[in-house]
Amino acid sequence: MTQETPGQRRDSPGSPRGWRAAAQEALYGPAGFYRRPEGPAGHFRTSVHASRLFAGAVAELLRRVDTALGRPAALDFVDMAAGRGELVAGVLAALPREVAARVRPCAVEIADRPEGLDERVAWRGEPPAEITGLLFANEWLDNVPVDVAETDPAGVPRYVLVGDDGAERLGDPVTGADTDWLARWWPLGAEEGTRAEIGLPRDRAWAAVAGRVTHGLAVAVDYAHTAGARPPFGTLTGFRAGRETTPVPDGTCDLTAHVALDACAAADERPAPARLLTQRAALGALGITGGRPPLALASTDPAAYVRALASAGEAAELTARGGLGDFGWLLRTVDIADPLA
């Protein structure tokens, strides 16, 4: 059993506790949000749900990884936090037949396997121990629970405790490795009320998962921020039925906070450097730009023009500034050249 920090400890049933422990139970416990029958798509829309173009782009990325690996007999595709299998199904449908025949698709999710999912897809609670191919984690890290720190009137960072109804109060001072993480990645200063999400559990989770890729590429895609642009009051929020809502750890809403992807990148200490870029840049490198089709096509092939226009609209949403295009992509190559370079 993992020892609880002061920020996690619960003095008695029903009493406030740290956000990390509260969110862990609310999201992944027996009655947790991610075990609900409607799945994540019933509450919020990701790039996967916005357009099939996203799965097509991931399929193209997998094809490039395959080429870089010399087209191995078995090519892994691991979909972390797979939801109800939407991405892995879309990738399989978009792959060239020759590549699809060699792919070993794996969806990693705590919920039960959805009905009707392609029988080729392995449904697991954790990724394989060794991966040759592509591990793709779309909006996973933002749901790895973290503690929240807030500066008290004396300028001391303290853990924020939360009750089951969402009411907060300050707890013990932040200590140990959490203090070190804040000092390096998100210094709070002395101003009362400034907040930070302590991303150490995410760093460790990413390093552990990316470390399973022995040859190929690991990618994390998420809401993100980097040093020098940290939000002064944090980003913790909730989503329910398509709307942003007050974060309450009762299992009825998603609990999410943006990810310090630069800290995650540094946590994987293998020699090859990690790379950070925006979704707009990543999808552009994969051929998704959002450019409108030539107007002349409307005269020569109206139906094709309408299809191309719809596709351009979807691509524009995936790459939009101030929206999905600003998501961060963290790439970690292992024994291959960067397929987006």
Side-chain angles (χ1 to χ4, degrees):
M1 178 179 293
T2 302
Q3 185 177 2
E4 291 186 336
T5 69
Q8 298 173 279
R9 188 170 55 237
R10 195 169 200 163
D11 296 330
S12 61
S15 66
R17 53 183 165 166
W19 266 109
R20 182 182 175 193
Q24 181 69 36
E25 182 176 340
L27 294 177
Y28 305 115
F33 175 82
Y34 279 98
R35 298 186 188 275
R36 295 172 65 93
E38 70 272 18
H43 295 271
F44 54 86
R45 192 164 178 255
T46 71
S47 296
V48 178
H49 309 120
S51 173
R52 289 181 294 180
L53 293 174
F54 189 78
V58 177
E60 168 61 16
L61 181 59
L62 178 58
R63 188 195 65 77
R64 294 186 189 185
V65 170
D66 179 49
T67 299
L69 289 170
R71 298 179 177 84
L75 176 68
D76 293 315
F77 175 63
V78 179
D79 180 10
M80 281 294 301
R84 297 302 179 265
E86 299 95 337
L87 178 60
V88 68
V91 168
L92 286 175
L95 282 173
R97 181 176 301 177
E98 187 277 327
V99 179
R102 293 183 286 107
V103 166
R104 296 187 297 195
C106 174
V108 180
E109 183 57 73
I110 66 162
D112 293 337
R113 182 187 183 96
E115 294 183 5
L117 183 65
D118 192 312
E119 62 182 14
R120 292 175 292 174
V121 179
W123 193 265
R124 300 171 53 126
E126 62 178 36
E130 295 186 352
I131 297 166
T132 296
L134 172 62
L135 178 140
F136 200 87
N138 185 60
E139 295 197 39
W140 167 54
L141 287 171
D142 68 297
N143 290 125
V144 173
V146 294
D147 276 313
V148 178
E150 181 176 322
T151 304
D152 71 10
V156 176
R158 292 181 176 270
Y159 293 104
V160 176
L161 308 184
V162 60
D164 294 341
D165 61 355
E168 295 181 339
R169 66 174 175 84
L170 296 186
D172 294 336
V174 177
T175 59
D178 289 345
T179 298
D180 297 337
W181 190 93
L182 286 176
R184 180 179 180 185
W185 294 110
W186 199 335
L188 280 177
E191 182 180 353
E192 181 183 0
T194 53
R195 290 169 65 121
E197 290 105 24
I198 304 172
L200 185 59
R202 293 171 173 176
D203 297 354
R204 291 170 172 167
W206 171 248
V209 165
R212 300 191 181 206
V213 177
T214 55
H215 301 85
L217 177 67
V219 180
V221 181
D222 237 309
Y223 301 93
H225 47 67
T226 55
R230 305 289 190 213
F233 303 107
T235 62
L236 179 66
T237 191
F239 284 93
R240 182 189 296 114
R243 295 180 180 275
E244 189 170 5
T245 186
T246 301
V248 178
D250 61 1
T252 67
C253 68
D254 185 31
L255 299 171
T256 176
H258 294 196
V259 182
L261 276 182
D262 49 351
C264 292
D268 184 349
E269 298 177 346
R270 286 179 290 182
R275 186 155 79 101
L276 294 172
L277 64 165
T278 65
Q279 176 157 297
R280 182 169 52 258
L283 292 184
L286 293 167
I288 307 297
T289 63
R292 293 172 64 90
L295 189 59
L297 185 62
S299 300
T300 59
D301 191 341
Y305 177 77
V306 171
R307 290 195 298 271
L309 195 62
S311 179
E314 294 176 4
E317 181 182 1
L318 290 173
T319 58
R321 297 181 186 276
L324 295 175
D326 289 343
F327 270 47
W329 281 46
L330 167 57
L331 279 67
R332 167 66 71 180
T333 56
V334 184
D335 293 334
I336 64 169
D338 187 338
L340 294 185

